[in-house]
Amino acid sequence: MNRIVKKALLPSLMVLVLVLPLFAALGCGDEGEKTYKIGALFAVTGRNAPLGVPEKNVAIMLEKQINDAGGINGRKLKIIVYDTASDETTCVTLAKKLIAQDKVSAIVGPTSTGESIALIDTVTKNKIPMVSCAASYKIVEPVADRYWVFKTPQSDRLAAGEIFAHAQQQGITKVATICDTAGFGKNGEEALGQEAPKYGITIVTKESYGPEDTDMTTQLTKIKGTNAQAIICWGTNPGPAVIAKNKKTLGIDLPLYNSHGIANQEFITLAGDAANGVIFPAGKIIALDAVSDSDPQKAVLQQLLTDYQAAYNKTPNTFAGYAWDAIQMVVMAMKAVGDNKAKIRDYLENNIKNFPGTGGVFNMSPEDHNGLGPGAFLMVKIVDGKWTAIQ
């Protein structure tokens, strides 16, 4: 190249030198530079699929909504959803893939308590924030050991308190419990034991069942032989539906309480007529007509209901709401601090204040990584196959 040509090209080369970094900064270079990534772990198949499928649907719906609205600070959002198949080992493997290969900045989910507790060590070692969609208080307590872990569902201890408060109002002082042996059931049983004395209620017998058991006649027959005035079941389907049917067959005329683990249509479908009369605490989405217009959650619940029905022609359940809350919180953090994992964690802990989600009004803090209190639940009774709020 002669000196004349070099001289002619020099201005163009200088322009390229100046412009290329700008293109990179605007995300015109590396794909990773222009996309915020959130990993999502949901039980789309397996026994918790009735919970995980609506969670997956919400993730897909919100990704589209946010990107259609311009993304996050001008960058696209990618929510990478993996199916844990309701299996703890699979869940941990997929979490490691999200962290190491997909390079996500936060994880939402998993669906169940057992999966969530199994992930605590992984997210802690990798210093990545996780917002679980499962219920047990043990997912976020003790907070000192759950520095990177948050959750959106109302805790099992809060649910136990709601059940006992209702039972106390009915003059019930003695109850029997029957809980599944998986993580959700075991932790629920502990929560019931902790809360009962506060309401002057005695647990006269504790029965259990395996999550895959198909007949609980033996346990219910034992309960029938006690002086229990009500039965409290803690698990996710199909177990609670089997218990409702077995109880009806045995002619046990005692009130049947359940946890918020049955707050989906699957329970009514599986239990049939035996579902009628079952009482349980639930997120407000399943009885929206009973929620006051002055309730700070009302607009959010209505938005989820409208958006989900438009996207899927179905009514969302509380589990869809748990995922909606988790993703919204992470997106709020990303809008404020970008995709830095530590800053997202800090934002979740210190800046989620008075946030009206679908599961309640959240107030996170260094001492509370769930941030929900009394008022997050409605007590619901199933009447003629429909959820009816108890005032």
Side-chain angles (χ1 to χ4, degrees), residues 18-54:
L18 293 171
V19 168
L20 281 174
L22 178 60
F23 265 67
L26 290 172
C28 298
D30 177 38
E31 177 69 15
E33 287 294 318
K34 59 181 179 181
T35 305
Y36 284 121
K37 293 181 181 177
I38 298 173
L41 295 167
F42 298 133
V44 180
T45 59
R47 70 184 188 90
N48 287 322
L51 289 60
V53 168

PDB file of all heavy atoms in Angstrom, residues 18-54:
ATOM      1  N   LEU A  18     -12.957   4.454  16.638  1.00  0.00           N
ATOM      2  CA  LEU A  18     -13.819   5.160  17.579  1.00  0.00           C
ATOM      3  C   LEU A  18     -15.202   4.547  17.675  1.00  0.00           C
ATOM      4  O   LEU A  18     -15.821   4.533  18.732  1.00  0.00           O
ATOM      5  CB  LEU A  18     -13.937   6.640  17.158  1.00  0.00           C
ATOM      6  CG  LEU A  18     -12.658   7.474  17.275  1.00  0.00           C
ATOM      7  CD1 LEU A  18     -12.872   8.840  16.632  1.00  0.00           C
ATOM      8  CD2 LEU A  18     -12.246   7.621  18.738  1.00  0.00           C
ATOM      9  N   VAL A  19     -15.701   4.036  16.528  1.00  0.00           N
ATOM     10  CA  VAL A  19     -17.088   3.570  16.481  1.00  0.00           C
ATOM     11  C   VAL A  19     -17.279   2.150  17.004  1.00  0.00           C
ATOM     12  O   VAL A  19     -18.279   1.840  17.636  1.00  0.00           O
ATOM     13  CB  VAL A  19     -17.621   3.679  15.032  1.00  0.00           C
ATOM     14  CG1 VAL A  19     -18.946   2.946  14.888  1.00  0.00           C
ATOM     15  CG2 VAL A  19     -17.776   5.138  14.651  1.00  0.00           C
ATOM     16  N   LEU A  20     -16.289   1.263  16.768  1.00  0.00           N
ATOM     17  CA  LEU A  20     -16.467  -0.132  17.156  1.00  0.00           C
ATOM     18  C   LEU A  20     -16.781  -0.319  18.649  1.00  0.00           C
ATOM     19  O   LEU A  20     -17.698  -1.075  19.005  1.00  0.00           O
ATOM     20  CB  LEU A  20     -15.220  -0.941  16.770  1.00  0.00           C
ATOM     21  CG  LEU A  20     -15.135  -1.321  15.289  1.00  0.00           C
ATOM     22  CD1 LEU A  20     -13.801  -1.993  14.979  1.00  0.00           C
ATOM     23  CD2 LEU A  20     -16.297  -2.223  14.891  1.00  0.00           C
ATOM     24  N   PRO A  21     -16.046   0.375  19.543  1.00  0.00           N
ATOM     25  CA  PRO A  21     -16.418   0.218  20.969  1.00  0.00           C
ATOM     26  C   PRO A  21     -17.836   0.676  21.251  1.00  0.00           C
ATOM     27  O   PRO A  21     -18.524   0.117  22.094  1.00  0.00           O
ATOM     28  CB  PRO A  21     -15.393   1.099  21.684  1.00  0.00           C
ATOM     29  CG  PRO A  21     -14.250   1.215  20.740  1.00  0.00           C
ATOM     30  CD  PRO A  21     -14.867   1.214  19.385  1.00  0.00           C
ATOM     31  N   LEU A  22     -18.277   1.723  20.507  1.00  0.00           N
ATOM     32  CA  LEU A  22     -19.641   2.215  20.724  1.00  0.00           C
ATOM     33  C   LEU A  22     -20.658   1.172  20.317  1.00  0.00           C
ATOM     34  O   LEU A  22     -21.654   0.933  20.999  1.00  0.00           O
ATOM     35  CB  LEU A  22     -19.836   3.511  19.919  1.00  0.00           C
ATOM     36  CG  LEU A  22     -21.233   4.144  19.993  1.00  0.00           C
ATOM     37  CD1 LEU A  22     -21.555   4.495  21.445  1.00  0.00           C
ATOM     38  CD2 LEU A  22     -21.292   5.377  19.108  1.00  0.00           C
ATOM     39  N   PHE A  23     -20.380   0.489  19.174  1.00  0.00           N
ATOM     40  CA  PHE A  23     -21.280  -0.582  18.740  1.00  0.00           C
ATOM     41  C   PHE A  23     -21.358  -1.690  19.787  1.00  0.00           C
ATOM     42  O   PHE A  23     -22.429  -2.215  20.085  1.00  0.00           O
ATOM     43  CB  PHE A  23     -20.782  -1.172  17.407  1.00  0.00           C
ATOM     44  CG  PHE A  23     -21.441  -0.562  16.211  1.00  0.00           C
ATOM     45  CD1 PHE A  23     -21.216   0.771  15.894  1.00  0.00           C
ATOM     46  CD2 PHE A  23     -22.297  -1.301  15.408  1.00  0.00           C
ATOM     47  CE1 PHE A  23     -21.827   1.349  14.802  1.00  0.00           C
ATOM     48  CE2 PHE A  23     -22.914  -0.726  14.317  1.00  0.00           C
ATOM     49  CZ  PHE A  23     -22.669   0.597  14.004  1.00  0.00           C
ATOM     50  N   ALA A  24     -20.187  -2.015  20.352  1.00  0.00           N
ATOM     51  CA  ALA A  24     -20.173  -3.067  21.369  1.00  0.00           C
ATOM     52  C   ALA A  24     -20.974  -2.652  22.585  1.00  0.00           C
ATOM     53  O   ALA A  24     -21.744  -3.417  23.144  1.00  0.00           O
ATOM     54  CB  ALA A  24     -18.729  -3.373  21.776  1.00  0.00           C
ATOM     55  N   ALA A  25     -20.797  -1.369  22.983  1.00  0.00           N
ATOM     56  CA  ALA A  25     -21.529  -0.876  24.158  1.00  0.00           C
ATOM     57  C   ALA A  25     -23.024  -0.883  23.922  1.00  0.00           C
ATOM     58  O   ALA A  25     -23.820  -1.087  24.828  1.00  0.00           O
ATOM     59  CB  ALA A  25     -21.061   0.536  24.495  1.00  0.00           C
ATOM     60  N   LEU A  26     -23.433  -0.684  22.668  1.00  0.00           N
ATOM     61  CA  LEU A  26     -24.863  -0.676  22.357  1.00  0.00           C
ATOM     62  C   LEU A  26     -25.416  -2.085  22.163  1.00  0.00           C
ATOM     63  O   LEU A  26     -26.591  -2.274  21.888  1.00  0.00           O
ATOM     64  CB  LEU A  26     -25.103   0.142  21.082  1.00  0.00           C
ATOM     65  CG  LEU A  26     -24.890   1.652  21.224  1.00  0.00           C
ATOM     66  CD1 LEU A  26     -24.976   2.310  19.861  1.00  0.00           C
ATOM     67  CD2 LEU A  26     -25.890   2.259  22.189  1.00  0.00           C
ATOM     68  N   GLY A  27     -24.539  -3.089  22.292  1.00  0.00           N
ATOM     69  CA  GLY A  27     -25.021  -4.454  22.166  1.00  0.00           C
ATOM     70  C   GLY A  27     -25.032  -4.934  20.747  1.00  0.00           C
ATOM     71  O   GLY A  27     -25.699  -5.913  20.430  1.00  0.00           O
ATOM     72  N   CYS A  28     -24.321  -4.279  19.841  1.00  0.00           N
ATOM     73  CA  CYS A  28     -24.322  -4.702  18.447  1.00  0.00           C
ATOM     74  C   CYS A  28     -23.252  -5.757  18.192  1.00  0.00           C
ATOM     75  O   CYS A  28     -23.108  -6.242  17.096  1.00  0.00           O
ATOM     76  CB  CYS A  28     -24.107  -3.496  17.539  1.00  0.00           C
ATOM     77  SG  CYS A  28     -25.433  -2.279  17.689  1.00  0.00           S
ATOM     78  N   GLY A  29     -22.491  -6.099  19.231  1.00  0.00           N
ATOM     79  CA  GLY A  29     -21.457  -7.097  19.059  1.00  0.00           C
ATOM     80  C   GLY A  29     -21.878  -8.419  19.666  1.00  0.00           C
ATOM     81  O   GLY A  29     -22.702  -9.137  19.133  1.00  0.00           O
ATOM     82  N   ASP A  30     -21.351  -8.740  20.841  1.00  0.00           N
ATOM     83  CA  ASP A  30     -21.623  -9.999  21.506  1.00  0.00           C
ATOM     84  C   ASP A  30     -23.092 -10.102  21.932  1.00  0.00           C
ATOM     85  O   ASP A  30     -23.633  -9.197  22.551  1.00  0.00           O
ATOM     86  CB  ASP A  30     -20.719 -10.117  22.736  1.00  0.00           C
ATOM     87  CG  ASP A  30     -21.007 -11.379  23.522  1.00  0.00           C
ATOM     88  OD1 ASP A  30     -21.274 -12.412  22.897  1.00  0.00           O
ATOM     89  OD2 ASP A  30     -20.957 -11.299  24.745  1.00  0.00           O
ATOM     90  N   GLU A  31     -23.712 -11.248  21.613  1.00  0.00           N
ATOM     91  CA  GLU A  31     -25.120 -11.461  21.957  1.00  0.00           C
ATOM     92  C   GLU A  31     -25.355 -11.324  23.459  1.00  0.00           C
ATOM     93  O   GLU A  31     -26.368 -10.794  23.897  1.00  0.00           O
ATOM     94  CB  GLU A  31     -25.549 -12.867  21.501  1.00  0.00           C
ATOM     95  CG  GLU A  31     -26.976 -13.262  21.853  1.00  0.00           C
ATOM     96  CD  GLU A  31     -28.011 -12.476  21.077  1.00  0.00           C
ATOM     97  OE1 GLU A  31     -27.639 -11.837  20.075  1.00  0.00           O
ATOM     98  OE2 GLU A  31     -29.173 -12.475  21.474  1.00  0.00           O
ATOM     99  N   GLY A  32     -24.369 -11.816  24.272  1.00  0.00           N
ATOM    100  CA  GLY A  32     -24.526 -11.764  25.715  1.00  0.00           C
ATOM    101  C   GLY A  32     -24.587 -10.355  26.264  1.00  0.00           C
ATOM    102  O   GLY A  32     -25.142 -10.111  27.321  1.00  0.00           O
ATOM    103  N   GLU A  33     -24.030  -9.389  25.516  1.00  0.00           N
ATOM    104  CA  GLU A  33     -24.005  -8.013  25.985  1.00  0.00           C
ATOM    105  C   GLU A  33     -25.373  -7.349  25.904  1.00  0.00           C
ATOM    106  O   GLU A  33     -25.613  -6.351  26.540  1.00  0.00           O
ATOM    107  CB  GLU A  33     -22.999  -7.205  25.162  1.00  0.00           C
ATOM    108  CG  GLU A  33     -21.544  -7.517  25.472  1.00  0.00           C
ATOM    109  CD  GLU A  33     -21.151  -7.115  26.876  1.00  0.00           C
ATOM    110  OE1 GLU A  33     -21.557  -6.025  27.305  1.00  0.00           O
ATOM    111  OE2 GLU A  33     -20.472  -7.900  27.546  1.00  0.00           O
ATOM    112  N   LYS A  34     -26.278  -7.907  25.102  1.00  0.00           N
ATOM    113  CA  LYS A  34     -27.553  -7.224  24.935  1.00  0.00           C
ATOM    114  C   LYS A  34     -28.727  -8.016  25.494  1.00  0.00           C
ATOM    115  O   LYS A  34     -29.874  -7.738  25.194  1.00  0.00           O
ATOM    116  CB  LYS A  34     -27.792  -6.926  23.451  1.00  0.00           C
ATOM    117  CG  LYS A  34     -27.815  -8.143  22.541  1.00  0.00           C
ATOM    118  CD  LYS A  34     -28.022  -7.712  21.101  1.00  0.00           C
ATOM    119  CE  LYS A  34     -28.033  -8.904  20.158  1.00  0.00           C
ATOM    120  NZ  LYS A  34     -28.200  -8.495  18.761  1.00  0.00           N
ATOM    121  N   THR A  35     -28.445  -9.007  26.308  1.00  0.00           N
ATOM    122  CA  THR A  35     -29.519  -9.817  26.853  1.00  0.00           C
ATOM    123  C   THR A  35     -29.334 -10.031  28.346  1.00  0.00           C
ATOM    124  O   THR A  35     -28.271 -10.442  28.787  1.00  0.00           O
ATOM    125  CB  THR A  35     -29.560 -11.198  26.164  1.00  0.00           C
ATOM    126  OG1 THR A  35     -29.658 -11.018  24.762  1.00  0.00           O
ATOM    127  CG2 THR A  35     -30.732 -12.019  26.658  1.00  0.00           C
ATOM    128  N   TYR A  36     -30.377  -9.743  29.103  1.00  0.00           N
ATOM    129  CA  TYR A  36     -30.400 -10.123  30.510  1.00  0.00           C
ATOM    130  C   TYR A  36     -30.943 -11.550  30.582  1.00  0.00           C
ATOM    131  O   TYR A  36     -31.956 -11.863  29.958  1.00  0.00           O
ATOM    132  CB  TYR A  36     -31.309  -9.207  31.315  1.00  0.00           C
ATOM    133  CG  TYR A  36     -30.746  -7.843  31.609  1.00  0.00           C
ATOM    134  CD1 TYR A  36     -31.406  -6.689  31.189  1.00  0.00           C
ATOM    135  CD2 TYR A  36     -29.571  -7.701  32.346  1.00  0.00           C
ATOM    136  CE1 TYR A  36     -30.897  -5.435  31.487  1.00  0.00           C
ATOM    137  CE2 TYR A  36     -29.066  -6.447  32.640  1.00  0.00           C
ATOM    138  CZ  TYR A  36     -29.725  -5.316  32.206  1.00  0.00           C
ATOM    139  OH  TYR A  36     -29.226  -4.078  32.491  1.00  0.00           O
ATOM    140  N   LYS A  37     -30.308 -12.386  31.375  1.00  0.00           N
ATOM    141  CA  LYS A  37     -30.735 -13.785  31.449  1.00  0.00           C
ATOM    142  C   LYS A  37     -31.182 -14.157  32.866  1.00  0.00           C
ATOM    143  O   LYS A  37     -30.460 -13.938  33.834  1.00  0.00           O
ATOM    144  CB  LYS A  37     -29.591 -14.704  31.028  1.00  0.00           C
ATOM    145  CG  LYS A  37     -29.196 -14.603  29.558  1.00  0.00           C
ATOM    146  CD  LYS A  37     -28.073 -15.580  29.260  1.00  0.00           C
ATOM    147  CE  LYS A  37     -27.625 -15.488  27.809  1.00  0.00           C
ATOM    148  NZ  LYS A  37     -26.489 -16.385  27.533  1.00  0.00           N
ATOM    149  N   ILE A  38     -32.365 -14.728  32.925  1.00  0.00           N
ATOM    150  CA  ILE A  38     -32.885 -15.298  34.174  1.00  0.00           C
ATOM    151  C   ILE A  38     -33.107 -16.788  33.931  1.00  0.00           C
ATOM    152  O   ILE A  38     -33.683 -17.182  32.917  1.00  0.00           O
ATOM    153  CB  ILE A  38     -34.223 -14.654  34.580  1.00  0.00           C
ATOM    154  CG1 ILE A  38     -34.039 -13.149  34.842  1.00  0.00           C
ATOM    155  CG2 ILE A  38     -34.800 -15.339  35.815  1.00  0.00           C
ATOM    156  CD1 ILE A  38     -35.364 -12.417  35.092  1.00  0.00           C
ATOM    157  N   GLY A  39     -32.637 -17.613  34.848  1.00  0.00           N
ATOM    158  CA  GLY A  39     -32.907 -19.048  34.767  1.00  0.00           C
ATOM    159  C   GLY A  39     -34.181 -19.379  35.528  1.00  0.00           C
ATOM    160  O   GLY A  39     -34.462 -18.782  36.569  1.00  0.00           O
ATOM    161  N   ALA A  40     -34.967 -20.305  34.991  1.00  0.00           N
ATOM    162  CA  ALA A  40     -36.215 -20.706  35.661  1.00  0.00           C
ATOM    163  C   ALA A  40     -36.257 -22.221  35.758  1.00  0.00           C
ATOM    164  O   ALA A  40     -36.083 -22.914  34.757  1.00  0.00           O
ATOM    165  CB  ALA A  40     -37.423 -20.186  34.889  1.00  0.00           C
ATOM    166  N   LEU A  41     -36.473 -22.729  36.959  1.00  0.00           N
ATOM    167  CA  LEU A  41     -36.547 -24.169  37.200  1.00  0.00           C
ATOM    168  C   LEU A  41     -37.932 -24.511  37.717  1.00  0.00           C
ATOM    169  O   LEU A  41     -38.278 -24.175  38.860  1.00  0.00           O
ATOM    170  CB  LEU A  41     -35.472 -24.578  38.215  1.00  0.00           C
ATOM    171  CG  LEU A  41     -34.024 -24.394  37.754  1.00  0.00           C
ATOM    172  CD1 LEU A  41     -33.067 -24.530  38.923  1.00  0.00           C
ATOM    173  CD2 LEU A  41     -33.680 -25.399  36.664  1.00  0.00           C
ATOM    174  N   PHE A  42     -38.725 -25.171  36.872  1.00  0.00           N
ATOM    175  CA  PHE A  42     -40.095 -25.509  37.253  1.00  0.00           C
ATOM    176  C   PHE A  42     -40.378 -26.985  36.988  1.00  0.00           C
ATOM    177  O   PHE A  42     -39.851 -27.570  36.026  1.00  0.00           O
ATOM    178  CB  PHE A  42     -41.095 -24.654  36.466  1.00  0.00           C
ATOM    179  CG  PHE A  42     -40.964 -23.176  36.715  1.00  0.00           C
ATOM    180  CD1 PHE A  42     -40.952 -22.271  35.660  1.00  0.00           C
ATOM    181  CD2 PHE A  42     -40.862 -22.669  38.012  1.00  0.00           C
ATOM    182  CE1 PHE A  42     -40.825 -20.910  35.887  1.00  0.00           C
ATOM    183  CE2 PHE A  42     -40.733 -21.306  38.245  1.00  0.00           C
ATOM    184  CZ  PHE A  42     -40.721 -20.426  37.177  1.00  0.00           C
ATOM    185  N   ALA A  43     -41.239 -27.561  37.809  1.00  0.00           N
ATOM    186  CA  ALA A  43     -41.627 -28.968  37.662  1.00  0.00           C
ATOM    187  C   ALA A  43     -42.721 -29.068  36.599  1.00  0.00           C
ATOM    188  O   ALA A  43     -43.901 -29.213  36.910  1.00  0.00           O
ATOM    189  CB  ALA A  43     -42.107 -29.519  39.003  1.00  0.00           C
ATOM    190  N   VAL A  44     -42.313 -29.009  35.357  1.00  0.00           N
ATOM    191  CA  VAL A  44     -43.287 -29.030  34.254  1.00  0.00           C
ATOM    192  C   VAL A  44     -43.860 -30.434  34.064  1.00  0.00           C
ATOM    193  O   VAL A  44     -44.982 -30.601  33.578  1.00  0.00           O
ATOM    194  CB  VAL A  44     -42.623 -28.522  32.957  1.00  0.00           C
ATOM    195  CG1 VAL A  44     -43.605 -28.523  31.797  1.00  0.00           C
ATOM    196  CG2 VAL A  44     -42.064 -27.109  33.175  1.00  0.00           C
ATOM    197  N   THR A  45     -43.086 -31.446  34.451  1.00  0.00           N
ATOM    198  CA  THR A  45     -43.574 -32.826  34.433  1.00  0.00           C
ATOM    199  C   THR A  45     -43.364 -33.423  35.820  1.00  0.00           C
ATOM    200  O   THR A  45     -42.761 -32.810  36.691  1.00  0.00           O
ATOM    201  CB  THR A  45     -42.835 -33.668  33.372  1.00  0.00           C
ATOM    202  OG1 THR A  45     -41.426 -33.663  33.676  1.00  0.00           O
ATOM    203  CG2 THR A  45     -43.050 -33.112  31.980  1.00  0.00           C
ATOM    204  N   GLY A  46     -43.869 -34.647  36.006  1.00  0.00           N
ATOM    205  CA  GLY A  46     -43.773 -35.276  37.322  1.00  0.00           C
ATOM    206  C   GLY A  46     -44.958 -34.914  38.187  1.00  0.00           C
ATOM    207  O   GLY A  46     -45.899 -34.249  37.753  1.00  0.00           O
ATOM    208  N   ARG A  47     -44.917 -35.314  39.430  1.00  0.00           N
ATOM    209  CA  ARG A  47     -46.101 -35.194  40.291  1.00  0.00           C
ATOM    210  C   ARG A  47     -46.461 -33.744  40.637  1.00  0.00           C
ATOM    211  O   ARG A  47     -47.586 -33.457  41.015  1.00  0.00           O
ATOM    212  CB  ARG A  47     -45.910 -36.003  41.568  1.00  0.00           C
ATOM    213  CG  ARG A  47     -44.885 -35.466  42.529  1.00  0.00           C
ATOM    214  CD  ARG A  47     -44.715 -36.415  43.703  1.00  0.00           C
ATOM    215  NE  ARG A  47     -43.875 -35.841  44.737  1.00  0.00           N
ATOM    216  CZ  ARG A  47     -44.342 -35.119  45.739  1.00  0.00           C
ATOM    217  NH1 ARG A  47     -45.637 -34.882  45.841  1.00  0.00           N
ATOM    218  NH2 ARG A  47     -43.531 -34.621  46.646  1.00  0.00           N
ATOM    219  N   ASN A  48     -45.498 -32.827  40.503  1.00  0.00           N
ATOM    220  CA  ASN A  48     -45.799 -31.422  40.792  1.00  0.00           C
ATOM    221  C   ASN A  48     -46.125 -30.607  39.546  1.00  0.00           C
ATOM    222  O   ASN A  48     -46.132 -29.366  39.596  1.00  0.00           O
ATOM    223  CB  ASN A  48     -44.628 -30.779  41.547  1.00  0.00           C
ATOM    224  CG  ASN A  48     -44.546 -31.245  42.985  1.00  0.00           C
ATOM    225  OD1 ASN A  48     -45.576 -31.427  43.653  1.00  0.00           O
ATOM    226  ND2 ASN A  48     -43.339 -31.486  43.469  1.00  0.00           N
ATOM    227  N   ALA A  49     -46.390 -31.285  38.445  1.00  0.00           N
ATOM    228  CA  ALA A  49     -46.687 -30.578  37.195  1.00  0.00           C
ATOM    229  C   ALA A  49     -47.875 -29.612  37.300  1.00  0.00           C
ATOM    230  O   ALA A  49     -47.839 -28.536  36.684  1.00  0.00           O
ATOM    231  CB  ALA A  49     -46.919 -31.584  36.072  1.00  0.00           C
ATOM    232  N   PRO A  50     -48.942 -29.944  38.061  1.00  0.00           N
ATOM    233  CA  PRO A  50     -50.036 -28.959  38.176  1.00  0.00           C
ATOM    234  C   PRO A  50     -49.577 -27.634  38.773  1.00  0.00           C
ATOM    235  O   PRO A  50     -50.231 -26.601  38.580  1.00  0.00           O
ATOM    236  CB  PRO A  50     -51.037 -29.675  39.104  1.00  0.00           C
ATOM    237  CG  PRO A  50     -50.778 -31.130  38.890  1.00  0.00           C
ATOM    238  CD  PRO A  50     -49.281 -31.227  38.712  1.00  0.00           C
ATOM    239  N   LEU A  51     -48.462 -27.644  39.490  1.00  0.00           N
ATOM    240  CA  LEU A  51     -47.899 -26.411  40.046  1.00  0.00           C
ATOM    241  C   LEU A  51     -46.920 -25.785  39.043  1.00  0.00           C
ATOM    242  O   LEU A  51     -46.894 -24.569  38.837  1.00  0.00           O
ATOM    243  CB  LEU A  51     -47.164 -26.687  41.354  1.00  0.00           C
ATOM    244  CG  LEU A  51     -47.956 -27.053  42.608  1.00  0.00           C
ATOM    245  CD1 LEU A  51     -48.793 -28.328  42.435  1.00  0.00           C
ATOM    246  CD2 LEU A  51     -47.019 -27.224  43.796  1.00  0.00           C
ATOM    247  N   GLY A  52     -46.085 -26.644  38.441  1.00  0.00           N
ATOM    248  CA  GLY A  52     -45.008 -26.140  37.597  1.00  0.00           C
ATOM    249  C   GLY A  52     -45.438 -25.650  36.228  1.00  0.00           C
ATOM    250  O   GLY A  52     -44.826 -24.717  35.682  1.00  0.00           O
ATOM    251  N   VAL A  53     -46.471 -26.241  35.661  1.00  0.00           N
ATOM    252  CA  VAL A  53     -46.912 -25.815  34.324  1.00  0.00           C
ATOM    253  C   VAL A  53     -47.371 -24.351  34.317  1.00  0.00           C
ATOM    254  O   VAL A  53     -46.941 -23.564  33.466  1.00  0.00           O
ATOM    255  CB  VAL A  53     -48.012 -26.753  33.785  1.00  0.00           C
ATOM    256  CG1 VAL A  53     -48.660 -26.158  32.548  1.00  0.00           C
ATOM    257  CG2 VAL A  53     -47.416 -28.124  33.460  1.00  0.00           C
ATOM    258  N   PRO A  54     -48.244 -23.925  35.237  1.00  0.00           N
ATOM    259  CA  PRO A  54     -48.612 -22.509  35.230  1.00  0.00           C
ATOM    260  C   PRO A  54     -47.434 -21.590  35.526  1.00  0.00           C
ATOM    261  O   PRO A  54     -47.393 -20.449  35.037  1.00  0.00           O
ATOM    262  CB  PRO A  54     -49.693 -22.406  36.321  1.00  0.00           C
ATOM    263  CG  PRO A  54     -49.575 -23.643  37.125  1.00  0.00           C
ATOM    264  CD  PRO A  54     -49.044 -24.691  36.218  1.00  0.00           C
TER     265      PRO A  54
END
